[in-house]
Amino acid sequence: MDRAMQNLEMTRERKSLRFPRMIANKYLMFFISSLAAAATPGWISAPFADALPANQLLVDGNACGPTCLLSAFRSGSEKWRASISKIEGNSDSEKIRKIISDYARRPSSLDPKKARWNGRYGIASPDLVAMANELRSERWMSSVKQEIFFKNSRERETALLARVHDKLSKSLKKGLPPILRIRRVAWRNPEGSSTKNWLTVKAHFVVLTGLPEKLSKETKSFKVTYHEPWGGKSLSGKIHISDTKPAGVRTLTASFPGSDIGKTLIGRSEPTCLSLSSAIGLF
């Protein structure tokens, strides 16, 4: 009789442990993914930095903005991933087309007579910000904003570098990889003018997925990892203080060897660089 009671108690104990085990298994993958973001000491990574980069060339050569929204949300924390997962489509190309048709075809905040996006000019940052906020699945989620990265009149270059690093780090820590606006600029004469200046030749968006946690006081650059929508690639590069001549650029510049942004539009001996002018994210 005592043995039978003992067996009954053991059976009840095993059943009582089954539910906690189910809970533990359910959240095991989330726990592992959370650890991955902190796997590299001294480095801040997007929550899902290894998510597959989306490829704009599957849809349109000027679809970098909508494509970056897909990549940024998909590399972000669970609430941003949940938002983008609601976009219909069985492939990245279908999802990008859906984002364009449902959100990018709406009137532009800059010119309501025009759509936010078109295949010739792409999309402006303010309209990309509006699309990002509309894609949020819950209104209590933080608002996406644009941050301008031009040097202030009395701001030192090292202070600008620190400011940009701080803003980009903040968005990564909050769970949304920031989308960087990179411009290929060239030192040339504007049409009808004899005075040279830095002119935008080609603008492009990429998604930042990682950067150092801290910068030394007088550092002049920092490494980054990013998702390049032109071809859907995971790449690395560097953001640094401008050293361009004959006149300084009022932004930081980017060295992205794996990205060919506007290179074919530059003359053989024409001074050029990639200018980091702004970003959109959680600032």
Side-chain angles (χ1 to χ4, degrees), residues 218-259:
E218 294 300 324
T219 188
K220 295 183 178 181
S221 65
F222 58 88
K223 295 181 180 179
V224 296
T225 55
Y226 65 99
H227 285 174
E228 168 60 79
W230 187 272
K233 298 173 286 187
S234 294
L235 300 172
S236 61
K238 184 180 292 186
I239 293 174
H240 52 85
I241 292 172
S242 172
D243 58 358
T244 54
K245 304 296 181 183
V249 176
R250 292 183 54 233
T251 67
L252 300 178
T253 53
S255 294
F256 288 174
S259 299

Side-chain angles (χ1 to χ4, degrees), residues 1-8:
M1 184 68 177
D2 291 341
R3 183 179 295 276
M5 290 296 295
Q6 185 178 9
N7 290 339
L8 180 60

